[in-house]
Structure formats: structure tokens, C-alpha cells
Amino acid sequence: MSVAGATYQGLFRNPMVSPDILGASAGAGFGAAFGILMSFNPFGIQISAFLFGLAAVTLTYLISVIIARGTNVSKLRIIIILSSTLITASVVSIGGMIGWIGLIIPHIARIIVGPNFKRLLPASIFIGGTFLWDRYGAEEALQIQLAAKTLHPYKFQNIDIKQEAKNFYKTFFNYNLTDDEVNRILDGKSLD
């Protein structure tokens, strides 16, 4: 997902673009849900996700061409969009609609290696592939801060992750964490 995000950001020359931009995530999510509803095997679910993601992108593309009244789009741009849609559909069919990974991870990679795509895409692959602890939920805001602090500590030295964790738990769960509980959470240990 991070590579699709970095690719879309470069293609559209906009750092705020994510794999959701052309409807690929929504179409792939629908296709995966359809595949599950139809009791497809995992490969069938991925194919369904890809086809519906591709259909969403195709519709978006056709609408933009109609609006632009025949503006010629390069063959390379179409190949890049199809490849990024395949990546997005594959991830959505397995992991759900985690499009924000395609927005945030390329930014983290860009901070670390710069904007050159020869370094940015491999860095996005590595960082996106090691971002295993991600999941949807209220914790996302805290996870992003932890990732920023861990991957680029001197740029985010003003983040007190322990205090942020305490604030988070108080705000979202109305629970006051102790220092020991914060340390156990950040060390990946159970609170039991």
C-alpha cells in the first residue's frame, strides 16, 4: 500500500494523494466483500478485489477523459495506475481499507531518504512492509506519533510518547494509565 501511495503521489505530483484517490480502495473493498459473500477462495477474493478496484479506476479515468474532452493520457501513466491499483486491490482484499498507510508511509520514507524515486520506492516498500503493528481503531493517532518518534527521533524530539499515551487513554477510554502500564504498552507487553 505504501508503494502505491508513493507512486500515486509522484504521478499526480501531490504529496497528499493516497491510494484512495481514484477509488481503487473503495472498489477493491467492494470487490473483496463481494468475493467473501460469494464464498470465493482467497485467490478469488483477490481477483474480485482487483477487478472491482480496476473498474472504479476505469470509471474515474473515463469520467476525467470525458470532462477533459479527449486529452491524451500517456501509456506509461495508464500502466502506473493499473499497477498501483493492483497493489491497492491486493492489500485491501487481505488487510482491509488501510489507505492511510499509502499516505503516511511515503511521507516517512521521504523524510528519511528524500524525494528521489530510486530511493523513495524501496524505502516505502521496506517501511510499509515492516509496519506490521498497524490496525484500524482510535489508536491510529498514537501509532503515527510513535512511528514518527521511532523512525525520526531528532525531527520529532518534542513528542513525549509516554505522555501522549496517557493523554490518549484518558481521552478515548477515560482511563488513567500508570507509568508502569505505559512502559508495558510501549514494550509490547500485556497489562495483565
Side-chain angles (χ1 to χ4, degrees), residues 101-126:
I101 294 279
L103 178 63
I104 299 299
I105 298 298
H107 284 288
I108 293 170
R110 197 173 286 111
I111 289 169
I112 295 170
V113 301
N116 184 324
F117 270 84
K118 289 181 181 178
R119 292 188 308 268
L120 179 62
L121 289 179
S124 291
I125 290 169
F126 176 75

Short mmCIF file of all heavy atoms in Angstrom, two decimals, residues 101-126:
data_model
loop_
_atom_site.label_atom_id
_atom_site.label_comp_id
_atom_site.label_asym_id
_atom_site.label_seq_id
_atom_site.Cartn_x
_atom_site.Cartn_y
_atom_site.Cartn_z
N ILE A 101 -2.11 4.20 5.11
CA ILE A 101 -0.73 3.69 5.03
C ILE A 101 -0.08 4.23 3.76
O ILE A 101 1.08 4.61 3.75
CB ILE A 101 -0.72 2.14 5.01
CG1 ILE A 101 -1.22 1.58 6.32
CG2 ILE A 101 0.66 1.59 4.68
CD1 ILE A 101 -0.22 1.53 7.43
N GLY A 102 -0.86 4.27 2.67
CA GLY A 102 -0.35 4.77 1.40
C GLY A 102 -0.15 6.27 1.39
O GLY A 102 0.47 6.81 0.49
N LEU A 103 -0.66 6.95 2.41
CA LEU A 103 -0.44 8.39 2.53
C LEU A 103 0.70 8.68 3.49
O LEU A 103 1.60 9.46 3.19
CB LEU A 103 -1.73 9.07 3.02
CG LEU A 103 -1.66 10.57 3.27
CD1 LEU A 103 -1.36 11.31 1.97
CD2 LEU A 103 -2.97 11.06 3.86
N ILE A 104 0.72 8.04 4.64
CA ILE A 104 1.68 8.35 5.69
C ILE A 104 3.06 7.73 5.44
O ILE A 104 4.09 8.40 5.58
CB ILE A 104 1.15 7.88 7.07
CG1 ILE A 104 -0.16 8.60 7.41
CG2 ILE A 104 2.19 8.07 8.16
CD1 ILE A 104 -0.04 10.11 7.51
N ILE A 105 3.11 6.45 5.06
CA ILE A 105 4.41 5.77 4.91
C ILE A 105 5.30 6.45 3.86
O ILE A 105 6.49 6.64 4.11
CB ILE A 105 4.22 4.26 4.60
CG1 ILE A 105 3.49 3.57 5.76
CG2 ILE A 105 5.55 3.59 4.31
CD1 ILE A 105 4.22 3.60 7.08
N PRO A 106 4.77 6.84 2.69
CA PRO A 106 5.66 7.54 1.75
C PRO A 106 6.22 8.84 2.32
O PRO A 106 7.36 9.21 2.01
CB PRO A 106 4.75 7.81 0.54
CG PRO A 106 3.73 6.73 0.60
CD PRO A 106 3.48 6.51 2.07
N HIS A 107 5.46 9.52 3.18
CA HIS A 107 5.98 10.74 3.81
C HIS A 107 7.12 10.41 4.77
O HIS A 107 8.14 11.12 4.80
CB HIS A 107 4.87 11.49 4.55
CG HIS A 107 3.95 12.23 3.64
ND1 HIS A 107 4.33 13.37 2.98
CD2 HIS A 107 2.69 11.97 3.26
CE1 HIS A 107 3.33 13.80 2.23
NE2 HIS A 107 2.32 12.96 2.39
N ILE A 108 6.95 9.35 5.54
CA ILE A 108 8.02 8.93 6.45
C ILE A 108 9.26 8.55 5.64
O ILE A 108 10.38 8.96 5.96
CB ILE A 108 7.56 7.76 7.34
CG1 ILE A 108 6.45 8.23 8.30
CG2 ILE A 108 8.72 7.16 8.11
CD1 ILE A 108 5.76 7.10 9.05
N ALA A 109 9.05 7.79 4.56
CA ALA A 109 10.17 7.39 3.70
C ALA A 109 10.83 8.62 3.07
O ALA A 109 12.06 8.69 2.98
CB ALA A 109 9.69 6.43 2.61
N ARG A 110 10.04 9.59 2.65
CA ARG A 110 10.57 10.80 2.02
C ARG A 110 11.41 11.60 3.01
O ARG A 110 12.44 12.17 2.65
CB ARG A 110 9.41 11.65 1.48
CG ARG A 110 9.83 12.69 0.48
CD ARG A 110 8.62 13.39 -0.16
NE ARG A 110 7.98 12.53 -1.13
CZ ARG A 110 6.77 11.99 -0.97
NH1 ARG A 110 6.06 12.23 0.11
NH2 ARG A 110 6.25 11.22 -1.91
N ILE A 111 10.99 11.64 4.27
CA ILE A 111 11.77 12.33 5.30
C ILE A 111 13.13 11.66 5.47
O ILE A 111 14.15 12.33 5.62
CB ILE A 111 11.01 12.35 6.65
CG1 ILE A 111 9.81 13.30 6.57
CG2 ILE A 111 11.92 12.75 7.80
CD1 ILE A 111 8.86 13.18 7.76
N ILE A 112 13.14 10.34 5.41
CA ILE A 112 14.37 9.59 5.66
C ILE A 112 15.30 9.59 4.47
O ILE A 112 16.51 9.82 4.62
CB ILE A 112 14.02 8.14 6.08
CG1 ILE A 112 13.29 8.16 7.43
CG2 ILE A 112 15.28 7.28 6.17
CD1 ILE A 112 12.70 6.84 7.83
N VAL A 113 14.78 9.34 3.24
CA VAL A 113 15.67 9.17 2.08
C VAL A 113 15.57 10.28 1.04
O VAL A 113 16.33 10.29 0.09
CB VAL A 113 15.42 7.81 1.38
CG1 VAL A 113 15.66 6.66 2.34
CG2 VAL A 113 14.04 7.74 0.75
N GLY A 114 14.62 11.19 1.19
CA GLY A 114 14.47 12.27 0.22
C GLY A 114 13.47 11.91 -0.88
O GLY A 114 12.91 10.82 -0.89
N PRO A 115 13.26 12.83 -1.83
CA PRO A 115 12.20 12.65 -2.83
C PRO A 115 12.57 11.84 -4.07
O PRO A 115 11.71 11.58 -4.90
CB PRO A 115 11.87 14.10 -3.23
CG PRO A 115 13.17 14.82 -3.07
CD PRO A 115 13.84 14.17 -1.88
N ASN A 116 13.83 11.45 -4.23
CA ASN A 116 14.25 10.70 -5.41
C ASN A 116 13.58 9.32 -5.41
O ASN A 116 13.77 8.53 -4.50
CB ASN A 116 15.77 10.55 -5.42
CG ASN A 116 16.27 9.87 -6.68
OD1 ASN A 116 15.64 8.96 -7.22
ND2 ASN A 116 17.43 10.31 -7.14
N PHE A 117 12.82 9.01 -6.47
CA PHE A 117 12.04 7.77 -6.52
C PHE A 117 12.91 6.52 -6.55
O PHE A 117 12.45 5.44 -6.19
CB PHE A 117 11.07 7.78 -7.70
CG PHE A 117 9.74 8.37 -7.33
CD1 PHE A 117 9.55 9.74 -7.34
CD2 PHE A 117 8.70 7.57 -6.93
CE1 PHE A 117 8.35 10.29 -6.97
CE2 PHE A 117 7.49 8.10 -6.57
CZ PHE A 117 7.31 9.46 -6.58
N LYS A 118 14.17 6.63 -6.96
CA LYS A 118 15.05 5.47 -6.93
C LYS A 118 15.31 5.02 -5.50
O LYS A 118 15.58 3.85 -5.25
CB LYS A 118 16.38 5.78 -7.63
CG LYS A 118 16.24 5.90 -9.13
CD LYS A 118 17.58 6.19 -9.77
CE LYS A 118 17.40 6.34 -11.27
NZ LYS A 118 18.66 6.66 -11.94
N ARG A 119 15.23 5.94 -4.56
CA ARG A 119 15.38 5.60 -3.14
C ARG A 119 14.04 5.56 -2.43
O ARG A 119 13.85 4.79 -1.49
CB ARG A 119 16.31 6.61 -2.47
CG ARG A 119 17.74 6.53 -2.94
CD ARG A 119 18.68 7.41 -2.12
NE ARG A 119 18.24 8.79 -2.01
CZ ARG A 119 18.59 9.78 -2.83
NH1 ARG A 119 19.41 9.54 -3.82
NH2 ARG A 119 18.15 11.00 -2.65
N LEU A 120 13.10 6.40 -2.86
CA LEU A 120 11.81 6.51 -2.18
C LEU A 120 10.97 5.24 -2.28
O LEU A 120 10.41 4.78 -1.28
CB LEU A 120 11.02 7.70 -2.72
CG LEU A 120 9.64 7.92 -2.11
CD1 LEU A 120 9.75 8.21 -0.61
CD2 LEU A 120 8.92 9.07 -2.80
N LEU A 121 10.89 4.64 -3.46
CA LEU A 121 10.07 3.43 -3.61
C LEU A 121 10.61 2.26 -2.80
O LEU A 121 9.84 1.61 -2.08
CB LEU A 121 9.88 3.07 -5.08
CG LEU A 121 8.97 4.01 -5.87
CD1 LEU A 121 8.88 3.56 -7.33
CD2 LEU A 121 7.60 4.11 -5.26
N PRO A 122 11.92 1.96 -2.85
CA PRO A 122 12.42 0.88 -1.99
C PRO A 122 12.21 1.18 -0.50
O PRO A 122 11.88 0.28 0.28
CB PRO A 122 13.91 0.79 -2.33
CG PRO A 122 14.03 1.36 -3.69
CD PRO A 122 12.97 2.42 -3.77
N ALA A 123 12.40 2.43 -0.09
CA ALA A 123 12.18 2.79 1.31
C ALA A 123 10.71 2.62 1.68
O ALA A 123 10.39 2.14 2.78
CB ALA A 123 12.64 4.22 1.58
N SER A 124 9.81 2.98 0.78
CA SER A 124 8.37 2.81 1.04
C SER A 124 8.03 1.32 1.15
O SER A 124 7.21 0.94 2.00
CB SER A 124 7.54 3.44 -0.08
OG SER A 124 7.64 4.84 -0.04
N ILE A 125 8.64 0.49 0.31
CA ILE A 125 8.42 -0.95 0.40
C ILE A 125 8.88 -1.47 1.76
O ILE A 125 8.16 -2.19 2.44
CB ILE A 125 9.17 -1.70 -0.73
CG1 ILE A 125 8.53 -1.42 -2.09
CG2 ILE A 125 9.20 -3.20 -0.46
CD1 ILE A 125 9.35 -1.90 -3.26
N PHE A 126 10.09 -1.09 2.16
CA PHE A 126 10.64 -1.58 3.42
C PHE A 126 9.82 -1.09 4.62
O PHE A 126 9.43 -1.89 5.48
CB PHE A 126 12.10 -1.15 3.57
CG PHE A 126 12.69 -1.56 4.89
CD1 PHE A 126 13.05 -2.89 5.11
CD2 PHE A 126 12.87 -0.63 5.89
CE1 PHE A 126 13.57 -3.27 6.33
CE2 PHE A 126 13.39 -1.02 7.12
CZ PHE A 126 13.74 -2.33 7.33
#
